[in-house]
């Protein structure tokens, strides 16, 4: 764990702060502090979806297990294909997918074959039906087809004994499909981490409660729930905790007793009721960091008993940005996954962007293709860290580096799409 950083009275308005950590430094410290869970469980492959593999997976069979036809046509012997002119072959049977022919095919003979049908012994090539003239029990073929055409070799997809998935991989739809194609019913995955979370703040109300002036509905527990569910995490929602010493202390104790990771939102910025920090100081080893990103500067990280603790800022957009930047990679590491940094790309920005140097900014953008097919992005209106609608309209972050000072429309920017295919 890092040394404690002195908390100064600078506000979120001055962007450069020499006590700040960069996002990379903060992430490095977090990842260094986290040990992957050791417990594993065996689950049916469908239940393995989105879980992290705890073993290397090898194929017990060839896929496909026999040479078979890639097209509808006729299975022939390569030697029977004429080098020029026309050749007549006798059709001695039909092969459907799943019902192979028992006879083997001798010189001058062939078999009608459907896609997926196993090539009969003696044949090695399929002449597609469009290249054949059928005459009663014979066909006429020419030299358009070459030996070996239109077949799928045994083991072409996966060879027997080949490693097909690695420990630490996240199981995608393709991965569980691949395991099914090998006849594998179950898979060893790491245990799902338990994450307990609660919100802090006297102004917060839960859905169903009446809202008085100055009060806000708690949205952070919902965005956190959503982001955690997507990772296949077991969530424990502990509700809203008032800014009250005893209540806060009890909540931290309960959360740490029941979860591998505790996440709170609110109460970590300068000027917050001090007992959140006081309580944490008593209960665990927690560092309060200022991170040179916007939104999401304050972050607390450490341990309460044996649980990892993340104290996220209260503002709804800050919660999401700090979750994606710090908590998600940490949870992947906890689950034994090799974290792969989300893909980013570049786009032409159609909006003017305001920015001061000193922090990396995650502005919210809507990316699309313009009429010339170029990837373009515009920002979603106001960018305040409390404006959750900006996240909901957005489909990407516009990431502006530390020293960037914004600029007029037309500049190239880095964007990080919210969704990939898998
Ligand atoms: P704090 O970090 O506690 O000072 O909170 C910063 C801002 O975020 C304040 O305007 C809070 O009202 C707001 N906020 C804190 N927690 C939540 C929450 N759970 N849901 C919605 N807004 C919140
Ligand atoms: Mg608060």
């Amino acid at each position: 764990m890092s040394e404690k950083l002195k908390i100064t009275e600078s506000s979120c308005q001055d962007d450069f702060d020499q006590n700040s950590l960069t996002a990379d430094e903060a992430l490095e410290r977090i990842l260094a502090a986290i040990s992957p869970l050791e417990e594993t469980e065996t689950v049916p492959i469908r239940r393995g979806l989105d879980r992290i593999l705890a073993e290397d997976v090898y194929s017990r069979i060839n896929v496909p297990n026999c040479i078979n036809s890639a097209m509808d046509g006729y299975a022939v012997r390569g030697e029977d294909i004429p080098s020029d002119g026309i050749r007549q072959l006798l059709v001695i049977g039909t092969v459907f997918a799943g019902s192979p022919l028992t006879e083997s095919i001798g010189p001058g003979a062939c078999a009608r074959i459907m896609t997926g049908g196993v090539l009969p012994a003696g044949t090695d090539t399929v002449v597609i039906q469009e290249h054949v003239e059928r005459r009663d029990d014979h066909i006429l073929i020419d030299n358009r087809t070459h030996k070996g055409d239109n077949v799928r070799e045994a083991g072409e997809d996966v060879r027997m004994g080949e490693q097909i998935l690695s420990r630490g991989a996240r199981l995608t739809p393709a991965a569980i499909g691949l395991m099914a194609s090998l006849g594998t019913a179950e898979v060893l995955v790491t245990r799902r981490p338990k994450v307990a979370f609660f919100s802090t703040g006297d102004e917060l109300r839960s859905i169903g409660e009446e809202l008085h002036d100055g009060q806000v509905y708690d949205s952070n527990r919902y965005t956190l729930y959503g982001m955690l569910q997507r990772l296949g995490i077991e969530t424990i929602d502990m509700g809203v905790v008032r800014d009250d010493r005893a209540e806060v202390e009890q909540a931290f104790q309960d959360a740490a007793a029941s979860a591998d990771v505790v996440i709170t939102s609110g109460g970590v910025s300068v000027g917050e009721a001090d007992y959140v920090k006081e309580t944490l100081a008593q209960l665990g080893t927690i560092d309060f960091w200022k991170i040179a990103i916007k939104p999401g500067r304050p972050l607390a990280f450490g341990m309460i008993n044996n649980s990892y603790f993340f104290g996220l800022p209260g503002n709804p957009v800050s919660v999401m940005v700090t979750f994606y930047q710090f908590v998600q990679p940490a949870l992947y590491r906890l689950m034994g996954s090799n974290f792969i940094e989300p893909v980013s790309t570049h786009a032409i920005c159609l909006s003017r962007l305001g920015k001061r140097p000193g922090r990396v900014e995650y502005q919210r953008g809507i990316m699309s293709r313009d009429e010339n097919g170029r990837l373009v992005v515009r920002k979603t209106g106001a960018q305040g860290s409390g404006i959750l609608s900006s996240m909901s309209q957005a489909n990407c972050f516009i990431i502006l580096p530390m020293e960037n000072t914004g600029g007029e429309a037309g500049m190239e920017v880095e964007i990080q799409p919210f969704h990939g295919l898998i």
Side-chain angles (χ1 to χ4, degrees):
M1 196 93 347
S2 70
E3 71 278 19
K4 296 260 196 270
L5 285 177
K6 193 167 156 279
I7 296 174
T8 63
E9 291 304 314
S10 61
S11 77
C12 283
Q13 293 300 310
D14 24 282
D15 279 36
F16 180 73
D17 186 325
Q18 58 187 13
N19 290 328
S20 286
L21 295 177
T22 66
D24 286 345
E25 285 166 342
L27 183 58
E28 224 170 86
R29 291 185 189 194
I30 290 168
L31 294 180
I34 290 188
S35 319
L37 293 173
E38 278 167 12
E39 303 96 311
T40 57
E41 59 176 324
T42 300
V43 296
I45 53 175
R46 282 187 209 215
R47 277 195 42 222
L49 183 64
D50 288 338
R51 304 281 297 271
I52 305 297
L53 252 186
E55 61 180 350
D56 293 333
V57 177
Y58 298 87
S59 176
R60 295 176 289 120
I61 57 170
N62 276 319
V63 182
N65 64 3
C66 286
I67 181 170
N68 68 83
S69 181
M71 305 288 276
D72 290 342
Y74 292 84
V76 305
R77 299 165 66 93
E79 312 84 80
D80 282 346
I81 298 170
S83 47
D84 56 12
I86 302 281
R87 176 97 201 249
Q88 179 173 295
L89 300 174
L90 176 66
V91 183
I92 63 157
T94 301
V95 188
F96 293 97
S99 38
L101 215 60
T102 41
E103 307 96 296
S104 64
I105 305 285
C110 70
R112 175 93 175 103
I113 192 164
M114 306 305 161
T115 304
V118 174
L119 264 70
T123 66
D124 52 23
T125 306
V126 171
V127 182
I128 63 172
Q129 59 196 16
E130 293 81 356
H131 291 176
V132 163
E133 192 179 321
R134 179 92 195 221
R135 297 246 173 104
D136 302 324
D137 59 350
H138 285 80
I139 56 167
L140 300 180
I141 60 169
D142 59 19
N143 64 0
R144 275 178 291 182
T145 308
H146 301 103
K147 184 179 166 81
D149 279 359
N150 306 314
V151 301
R152 302 168 180 149
E153 298 293 343
E156 175 181 287
D157 185 354
V158 179
R159 294 220 161 273
M160 191 190 294
E162 186 181 322
Q163 183 177 335
I164 51 147
L165 295 167
S166 304
R167 182 193 166 108
R170 185 170 183 205
L171 291 175
T172 59
I176 62 170
L178 184 59
M179 281 189 283
S181 79
L182 307 174
T184 301
E186 295 184 320
V187 63
L188 190 72
V189 291
T190 41
R191 167 170 81 73
R192 294 172 74 193
K194 286 198 190 105
V195 176
F197 56 90
F198 60 87
S199 301
T200 65
D202 279 342
E203 77 284 24
L204 302 178
R205 288 294 173 273
S206 293
I207 299 173
E209 288 177 358
E210 203 184 325
L211 206 60
H212 297 288
D213 284 353
Q215 298 179 334
V216 290
Y217 282 122
D218 175 5
S219 57
N220 291 342
R221 283 189 296 125
Y222 291 82
T223 48
L224 281 172
Y225 166 84
M227 294 184 291
L228 290 164
Q229 283 293 315
R230 286 271 173 94
L231 297 179
I233 302 282
E234 205 172 300
T235 53
I236 306 169
D237 182 344
M238 298 184 52
V240 174
V241 175
R242 307 273 153 237
D243 289 324
D244 169 275
R245 185 189 300 266
E247 238 188 274
V248 167
E249 188 173 333
Q250 192 59 50
F252 282 130
Q253 295 277 21
D254 293 347
S258 53
D260 302 294
V261 178
V262 177
I263 302 175
T264 63
S265 67
V268 290
S269 44
V270 175
E272 286 288 330
D274 263 338
Y275 47 75
V276 172
K277 284 175 205 152
E278 250 175 58
T279 311
L280 286 168
Q282 283 163 22
L283 291 179
T285 46
I286 313 284
D287 291 328
F288 291 86
W289 292 334
K290 276 183 287 178
I291 303 178
I293 61 171
K294 184 180 177 182
R297 173 141 61 186
L299 180 81
F301 173 70
M303 312 251 355
I304 302 174
N305 303 331
N306 293 319
S307 305
Y308 299 105
F309 172 75
F310 290 89
L312 307 184
N315 274 308
V317 181
S318 309
V319 165
M320 296 194 76
V321 169
T322 49
F323 183 93
Y324 287 129
Q325 293 305 313
F326 306 112
V327 185
Q328 181 161 297
L331 291 172
Y332 273 129
R333 176 157 168 76
L334 188 65
M335 291 189 280
S337 153
N338 307 317
F339 174 68
I340 299 166
E341 208 168 312
V343 191
S344 68
T345 183
H346 289 87
I348 303 298
C349 188
L350 303 180
S351 316
R352 201 190 82 77
L353 297 179
K355 178 179 180 303
R356 282 186 295 192
R359 291 200 263 171
V360 175
E361 281 197 22
Y362 295 84
Q363 300 204 4
R364 274 73 69 205
I366 301 169
M367 62 176 183
S368 60
R369 296 258 169 213
D370 70 5
E371 60 282 6
N372 302 316
R374 286 183 321 172
L375 194 56
V376 293
V377 65
R378 59 202 163 80
K379 73 169 186 179
T380 60
Q383 294 289 318
S385 59
I387 301 178
L388 190 53
S389 56
S390 74
M391 268 311 278
S392 130
Q393 287 159 22
N395 59 11
C396 66
F397 283 124
I398 302 171
I399 305 178
L400 300 171
M402 190 94 89
E403 293 320 319
N404 180 288
T405 51
E408 295 307 317
M411 71 172 177
E412 195 183 56
V413 291
E414 184 184 354
I415 59 169
Q416 193 173 67
F418 287 168
H419 286 99
L421 259 187
I422 49 179

